[in-house]
Amino acid sequence: MKTKKKIRVLLAGYVNNINAQDLNCRTLAMFLDKEKFEVSAFLVPQQFRDFDIGPELDGVNLIQLYRPAKILWYWIYLKGIVNCDIAYLPKGQKWRWAKFLCKLFGKKSFLTVEGVMDKETLDGAVKRYGNRNQVRQMYNSTTRTYSITKYMSNVNREKLGIRSDGILYLGVDYEKFKNSNHLFKKMGDTLDIIFIGTDIFRKRLIEYLDLAERFPSIRFHIVGGRGEDIYSTLGRSPLENVIVHGMLSHEQLSDLLKTMDLHVFPSRSEGFPKVTLETAAAGVPSIVYSDYGANEWIENGKTGFVVDKFQDIVDVISKLIANPYKLQELSQNAVEMAKRFDWKSVVKTWEDTIEKIYCE
């Protein structure tokens, strides 16, 4: 019996690096069916890696980037694209070179748009690529372009003319964050609220500290940052009810989430913040702003809260203090939401999409 040829897929992200697109490529490398796909991905130089490669990436062809990176970037893209059938190019890195190589060697390609082009995101993209037209050209440079939410697809098409050939939702590694022993609070118990994020300015950590001042009887936890003194960086005085944990591994974060009641994510410029799925998998519902279309995956008041302004967050927390049993219901519903976005299920849509592009 003739064996069906595997589709060779290049995931052009650095799977030993902590960055949204890199982590997506890492997860895809883990979950893509190795019976159907031969998977390749990149590694940053050893001295810049955020973590080591473990057995979860066994069977993945890893292409090492060496220094000087500015020169050898071209080499790893050449090596990766020559040896693939279809390239996933989510980072926009060396996009003209990647487009040239795909055309030269007759390779298919696709990317995902992972941000709503609000003013902050668009300004950053223009700074990186040169002007609005260059941003549009980059996102339209592959065989197919997908968005990671419907809201994002509609807004980016209207604002910038970025095409969207469909939706590819991101997922959560549910098994990594699931929590079977969540400790529910009772009347009079102190609530524990968590903030998770590395970019303390864009994620609006200062607003989170404002909440901590409003609710001195609640413990507020901060995970992330880049090693800076967050208080001096933000020009604030330390608060007794705020616990700063710094950077944590997935295992450490999973353990901490077992004791948390609520996740507050005050960023207003996002695409599809996976942290809301990671906390949900642990039974910790989120409060987020509505600016980037979070109603698409969070059902307000049932699996979490989607609000419009800061006072809405204050009001939600006040109600939960008065009725902590509501958190049990929210927690259970949040877990069910996370299960729907488990990568084990979501990856099937990605596999179907890759096969469809390959066969076109």
Side-chain angles (χ1 to χ4, degrees), residues 293-339:
N295 279 305
E296 196 168 319
W297 65 94
I298 295 177
E299 188 174 349
N300 188 34
K302 185 175 181 180
T303 60
F305 298 93
V306 183
V307 301
D308 297 319
K309 55 186 184 296
F310 178 75
Q311 185 58 44
D312 294 337
I313 301 179
V314 174
D315 293 343
V316 167
I317 293 175
S318 297
K319 290 177 181 177
L320 292 175
I321 291 173
N323 183 18
Y325 298 105
K326 175 67 174 176
L327 282 167
Q328 294 188 28
E329 176 188 342
L330 286 163
S331 175
Q332 293 161 359
N333 292 338
V335 169
E336 293 305 313
M337 177 187 74
K339 287 180 180 178

Side-chain angles (χ1 to χ4, degrees), residues 71-268:
I71 296 173
L72 293 180
W73 264 332
Y74 294 96
W75 163 247
I76 64 168
Y77 272 87
L78 173 61
K79 183 176 181 180
I81 289 174
V82 165
N83 292 299
C84 79
D85 298 309
I86 181 168
Y88 174 48
L89 305 167
K91 295 177 68 68
Q93 190 180 65
K94 306 299 179 189
W95 69 270
R96 291 184 182 84
W97 176 238
K99 180 180 179 181
F100 168 75
L101 291 175
C102 287
K103 184 176 181 180
L104 178 65
F105 295 106
K107 308 294 184 176
K108 303 289 182 65
S109 62
F110 72 108
L111 60 76
T112 46
V113 187
E114 300 185 11
V116 176
M117 287 297 161
D118 56 20
K119 185 180 185 304
E120 185 174 356
T121 302
L122 183 56
D123 285 349
V126 167
K127 184 177 180 181
R128 182 179 181 186
Y129 296 111
N131 55 53
R132 292 168 64 98
N133 185 52
Q134 292 296 312
V135 175
R136 179 166 49 251
Q137 285 187 37
M138 187 278 292
Y139 280 120
N140 293 335
S141 65
T142 51
T143 307
R144 291 286 180 265
T145 298
Y146 297 90
S147 294
I148 60 172
T149 70
K150 296 174 185 176
Y151 178 88
M152 185 185 304
S153 173
N154 295 333
V155 170
N156 291 345
R157 185 187 298 111
E158 292 174 6
K159 285 192 172 183
L160 203 61
I162 297 175
R163 78 168 191 261
S164 178
D165 296 300
I167 308 302
L168 282 174
Y169 286 111
L170 302 179
V172 62
D173 188 351
Y174 176 75
E175 291 295 322
K176 185 175 289 185
F177 290 96
K178 75 175 183 179
N179 174 18
S180 303
N181 300 304
H182 198 281
L183 302 175
F184 292 111
K185 294 294 163 57
K186 299 177 181 179
M187 192 68 69
D189 287 349
T190 299
L191 294 182
D192 285 272
I193 296 178
I194 190 168
F195 167 98
I196 305 169
T198 54
D199 189 337
I200 64 175
F201 290 102
R202 188 171 66 83
K203 306 294 185 183
R204 299 168 65 89
L205 178 60
I206 195 164
E207 193 168 292
Y208 184 77
L209 295 177
D210 289 341
L211 282 174
E213 284 188 329
R214 293 271 191 122
F215 296 98
S217 64
I218 293 177
R219 286 187 291 261
F220 287 80
H221 301 255
I222 298 173
V223 173
R226 294 189 172 94
E228 68 274 72
D229 181 336
I230 62 171
Y231 291 111
S232 61
T233 301
L234 295 174
R236 299 289 290 265
S237 299
L239 298 169
E240 291 185 359
N241 62 326
V242 174
I243 303 168
V244 180
H245 297 271
M247 295 294 292
L248 298 180
S249 68
H250 275 148
E251 292 74 19
Q252 292 170 324
L253 177 58
S254 180
D255 287 340
L256 180 62
L257 288 174
K258 292 176 182 178
T259 63
M260 295 296 107
D261 302 296
L262 190 65
H263 168 233
V264 173
F265 191 68
S267 174
R268 287 188 175 273

